[in-house]
Each structure stands twice: as C-alpha cells, then as structure tokens.
C-alpha cells in the first residue's frame, strides 16, 4: 500500500515539476498516453543517450539504424504479428468493458497463478470456477475469450481497403532485421555483429497503464546480435549480463532487480527471460532477452524471396544467422529510474525533503545557477551562459534559496551553484551537493571540469 502511495506521489511530482503530464489533458486526457515536459524530455533523452553510448558507441561491432515506422505490411506477415500479435480479451456482457483474461487471473490470484502457462480454455475455466468478476461493474458474465490484435492499422493512399492497409510498427526490431543485408554489406560487417535502434513503437493496449509502465505509444531500445548457430547461447548469457550491468551502472538498486525466465517459449525460441523491477505495483517486466534461433531472418527470406544467407569470408560456409535480441522500453526504464531515485528524507528540523537521486549522467539538469539575490543576476547569467555551452543548466532567481534548493532536489539536479557577494570579489561560488547537501567553495574557472568529471557514465 505504501509503495502504491509512492507511485501516486511520483505521478504528482512529475506533473508539478514539468517531468511528465497526462496526454491531451485539456480535452479530458487520452488513456495510456503521456507527454514529457521540459524536465522529463531531458531525463528520457539522457537515458536513451546512455543506452546508445553503452550498446553502440562503446561496441565496435554494433551498428546503429533509424528505420521507418511505417513498413511494407508483408514485414508483419513475415514476423508473425498479423497472425498472432494478440492478447486474450473478454468483454463484460453487463457493462460492455473489455479486459485481458490473463490480467484478470493475475489480479484475482494476487500473482499466485501464472496465466502465461494457461491455454485460453484453461483461463476461461479458471475465471468461471473462481467467479472472477468484472473489475468495473462487479458482475461475472463474460463473453468467451477472443484474441485481439494489438497493432494499430492505418491506410496508405487515397483508397481504403485491405490492399492499402499498413500498420504503425509494434516493435522496432523488424527495422533491424530488414536492414540486415544493407548493413552487413555497406559496413563490411562480419558475423557476429549487432544492429541497434531506438525509436517509437505503438500498441493498442487496453489494459490500464499504471502511469508510463504501459502506454499505447512508447519508445524501445533494441539490440539484435547476429551470430552463428552454436554461438547463440554464449551471446544470450553475455547480453543478460550486459543488460543487468547497464541497469546497475545507471544506479538502479540491485535488490530491486531480478531475472525471470519465460514460462512459455515461442516454438522457434531457445531461451527467453526478462529482467524484472520491483515497481510500486509489484515485480514486473523491465526488459527482455531472447535467443530467437534463425527464425527472423528465415521468415524474411521466405516472405521477401531475398536470400538472407551470410557467407563466412574465411571458410566460405553459408548460413542464415541466429539472433539474440535484447529489448528495453525507454519509457519503462524512465519509470524505473523515477521509482528508484525517489526518496523522502526527514531533515534535522523535522521537515521532509523530497529528492531524486538520479545518476548525474542522466539527471535532467546537471547544475542550477542560483544568485543569492536578484542584484547578483548579471554575474549569475554570465556563469549560466558559460556552463550551458557544455551542460543542461537551470537558472532560478525567484524565492528563498532554501525553496530553490528543494525544487532542484525534486528534479534531481546534482549540483547547485550559488552566486553571492564574494563571487564579485574573487570569482568563486558555492557548490552544493544534492545527495549530502554539503557545500564547498570552488573557483568559477574550475566548475566546468569539475562537473564534467562527476557526470561521466
Ligand atoms: N522486439 C521484442 C519486443 O518488442 P516486448 O517484450 O514486447 O518485446 C520489449 O517489448 C520491451 O518494450 C518491454 O520489455 C518493455 O520495456 C517495452 N514495452 C513493451 N510494451 C510496452 C508498452 N505498451 N508500454 C511501454 N513499454 C512497453
């Protein structure tokens, strides 16, 4: 209960401090959509940048791509999404609301039952036997389960109809698979190598979103490792570890993370697991790692008619590479970062300080420039304009210095720089640390180097 209260507090803080707002709010909102404000967009961009740095910039054998969101609809036939990217849905005959059968069972059994391991018939039987009722109206009168495809459809060109039907991509991964040959040839890449992408994906989710945990429009950060069969297990283990270490390095507490193997594997998959996080709503998925055999490239070969074979330059052996996929939602990770960083401290004077302990590398603002009084603003703006060439800086001259510090604590700014009358005399400032609230004096000319050192990732 206490933890759920924290999620409400985080949602409020996000709204009040320009981190995340409800989508289309002045029109009454739109379910499962959220807008990132001036502070939140910095946080999410920094998270995406940290991921790209770790998985593309620092990997000599990974290539980045930014593929189109709208793809030839045959892509989704090949990937299996048109046929089976669906959730088991039931309608309440009384109030006409639609629900996911697996979620109804999880909620009713308080997570003790595992609907992922059940067939539709078994789920229907469970719901009937345990009188699982509609969370909206309380009646137990359900339609049979139907599979509901999660892809958003749209149409291309002037005439409507099935031939013009296209989809908003439900995952970024296919943009990596369809560019396998382009990237291999243009970059003279040798298997094993990786292709990574960060971009939007869309799913027609009807389940309540729990803030940005589940949204209908979200960003994914995905990495496909192409390798020879036999090496796939090694890469699967390697990416499990890399994915976990990335989270630890971002400052996520180890006790809030765990691996969870999938109970049901797709017929082509050799292994699959999630890293779960202990959210205020309980343990749930943060990211997935998947050993997918050569299913993806084989299917694209079959549907496109283009050979996806790779020829080993040393042995001349020809084969369709296997894929180990690592996929994490940028918004899901932003939620994890927010939950993990949120803290309420009781100060010596009895007041409560809300503070976001973000890793400095992903903090929205690295430094806030605060003139002690308004008549020091000229000097403060000088400092701001010099530091803002290197870092996102905030500038605030309104209100008491104590309140300004609190505001920066709430958006996780790791350093506050106060300009006072001594600054005019000797070009030094006070730097205040967010986490310890300690303060020390530092020369203005040393500030940039000092901050650069502290925000390394
Ligand atoms: N290509 C594999 C794939 O898309 P997934 O488990 O469906 O796998 C990967 O999605 C990640 O994307 C999830 O672990 C989660 O972090 C994020 N994600 C999926 N659906 C989401 C949604 N509706 N809202 C926010 N993030 C989502």
């Amino acid at each position: 209960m206490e933890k759920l209260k924290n999620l409400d507090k985080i949602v409020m803080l996000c709204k009040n401090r320009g981190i995340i707002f409800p989508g289309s709010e002045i029109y009454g909102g739109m379910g499962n959509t959220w807008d990132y404000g001036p502070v939140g967009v910095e946080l999410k961009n920094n998270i995406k940048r940290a991921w790209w740095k770790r998985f593309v910039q620092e990997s000599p054998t990974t290539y980045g791509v930014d593929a189109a969101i709208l793809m030839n609809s045959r892509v989704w036939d090949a990937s299996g999404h048109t046929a089976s990217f669906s959730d088991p849905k039931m309608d309440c005959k009384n109030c006409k609301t639609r629900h996911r059968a697996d979620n109804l069972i999880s909620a009713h059994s308080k997570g003790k039952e595992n609907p992922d391991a059940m067939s539709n018939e078994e789920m229907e039987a469970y719901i009937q036997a345990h009188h699982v009722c509609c969370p909206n109206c309380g009646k137990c009168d359900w339609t049979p389960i139907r599979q509901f495809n999660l892809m958003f459809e749209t149409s291309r060109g002037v005439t409507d109809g099935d031939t013009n039907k296209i989809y908003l991509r439900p995952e970024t991964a296919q943009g990596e698979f369809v560019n396998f040959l382009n990237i291999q040839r243009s970059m003279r890449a040798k298997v094993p190598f990786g292709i990574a992408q960060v971009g939007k994906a869309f799913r027609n989710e009807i389940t309540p979103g729990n803030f940005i945990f589940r949204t209908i429009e979200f960003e994914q950060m995905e990495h496909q490792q192409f390798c020879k069969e036999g090496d796939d297990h090694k890469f699967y283990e390697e990416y499990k570890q890399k994915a976990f270490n990335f989270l630890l390095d971002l400052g996520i507490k180890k006790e809030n993370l765990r691996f969870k193997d999938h109970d049901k594997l797709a017929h082509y998959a050799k292994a699959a697991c999630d890293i779960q996080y202990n959210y205020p709503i309980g343990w749930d998925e943060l990211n997935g790692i998947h050993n997918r055999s050569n299913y993806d490239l084989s299917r694209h070969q079959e549907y496109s008619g283009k050979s996806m074979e790779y020829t080993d330059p040393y042995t001349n052996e020809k084969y369709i590479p296997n894929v180990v996929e690592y996929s994490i939602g940028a918004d899901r990770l932003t939620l994890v970062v927010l939950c993990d960083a949120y803290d309420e401290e009781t100060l010596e004077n009895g007041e409560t300080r809300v503070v976001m302990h973000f890793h400095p590398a992903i903090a929205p603002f690295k430094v806030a420039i605060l003139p002690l009084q308004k008549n020091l603003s000229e000097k403060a703006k000088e400092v701001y304009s010099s530091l803002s060439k290197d870092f996102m800086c905030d500038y605030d001259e309104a209100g008491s210095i104590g309140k300004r510090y609190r505001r920066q604590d709430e958006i996780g700014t790791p350093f506050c720089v106060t300009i006072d009358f001594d600054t005019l005399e000797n070009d030094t400032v006070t730097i205040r640390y967010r986490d310890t609230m300690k303060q020390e004096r530092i020369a203005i000319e040393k500030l940039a180097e000092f901050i650069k050192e502290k925000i390394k990732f």
Side-chain angles (χ1 to χ4, degrees), residues 171 173 203 205 213-215 218 220 222 285-288 325 327-329 332:
E171 61 170 14
R203 295 182 190 178
E205 307 271 9
F213 178 82
R214 194 181 304 286
T215 50
F218 55 97
Q220 287 186 315
E222 297 200 295
E285 177 182 347
L286 164 58
N287 70 223
E325 176 181 74
S327 175
I328 180 164
R332 189 78 61 94

Side-chain angles (χ1 to χ4, degrees), residues 11 41 94 100 108 136 147 154 276 322 351 356 403:
V11 175
V41 71
N94 182 54
R100 266 176 70 167
H108 182 269
N136 189 49
Q147 291 300 133
T154 184
Q276 294 189 329
N322 278 32
E351 280 180 19
M356 285 289 192
K403 285 211 174 101

